[in-house]
Amino acid sequence: MTVLITGGAGFIGSHLAENLVAEGYRVICIDDFNDYYDPRIKWENIAGLQARPEFRLVKGDITNKETLEELFSAWNIDQVVHLAARAGVRPSLRQPALYEKVNVGGTINLLEQCVRHQVKKFIFGSSSSVYGEQDKIPFSEEDRIERPISPYAATKRAAELICYTYHHLYQLPVICLRFFTVYGPRQRPEMAIHKFTSLIYQRQPIPLYGDGSSSRDYTFISDIVSGLRAAMDRNFGYEIINLGNSSPIQLKELVRLIEEALGLKARIDFQPPQSGDVTRTYADISKAQKLLGYHPEVPIEEGVALFVDWFKRNRPCPAAHHVA
């Protein structure tokens, strides 16, 4: 089977690609290696895959229709796992048009190709950010979500809706997976666990927005890959499914776990809450358990220790921290 992974040189994409190649799948990776963070990190992510005959890299942009037409015409693609996106809540406040172009327009371009070339399944990497500020917890796929609080969240929700439209019009099987704060080895450098670990390690202050009581449902990368693989192996018409750990932790407790794993004390620089950031995330994973047999296995304490161990062995270049 041939699988196209968009954003395949990124954090989640490269882990999925490694998993698939190890099992003998042919994997086509498309990535534009943009400067959201140091592109060298992405090249390092796929360094171990480049020599594998099952792996092919296309350096290209999903907003370029000609590039996608050439790609889909050259390969008989069975499934698309669409992970490419402009990521991050705060940068989306500064560049909303770019987020719409990539996250919505790029998704439409891919869906068009899937219909034209009779792709068997489309899996879309969505985000817990679509839930916005919810009073009801945990967050369920059945919740009404009509008030996203950042352009990033709005574009992810818009992409889910356009995915449904293409399923309805063309019977394209689609699964939208709402990821809840994924972390682990090779996590993007601007994300909290990686950023805090790096700054504490360098004996620099860490910026903490709010009073530290906000909470996130952190999900280890191996659990996300397990959920993705289960989605690839099962057949549905159109489904939206949460992939989380269903065990949120407060920011101040997360910092304590990182301190413990590093054996260092954090210097905290308290900052006002940031626009676009939600107070909490908390995944109801009962649907994932029922439909995908999904059962996260890595608790946050173990996951943070695994990440810190990786970080110590693979410290990134200082340029990786230019995105706040």
Side-chain angles (χ1 to χ4, degrees), residues 173-210:
V174 176
I175 304 173
C176 300
L177 299 174
R178 291 176 178 165
F179 301 143
F180 281 69
T181 315
V182 189
Y183 75 103
R186 304 204 298 262
Q187 185 191 39
R188 296 200 321 267
E190 91 286 357
M191 296 187 75
I193 291 176
H194 196 154
K195 183 176 181 179
F196 290 174
T197 300
S198 180
L199 291 173
I200 294 170
Y201 184 85
Q202 297 174 68
R203 279 69 166 178
Q204 295 183 17
I206 62 171
L208 211 64
Y209 298 101

Side-chain angles (χ1 to χ4, degrees), residues 121 248 271 275:
K121 185 181 297 179
Q271 299 284 336
S275 297

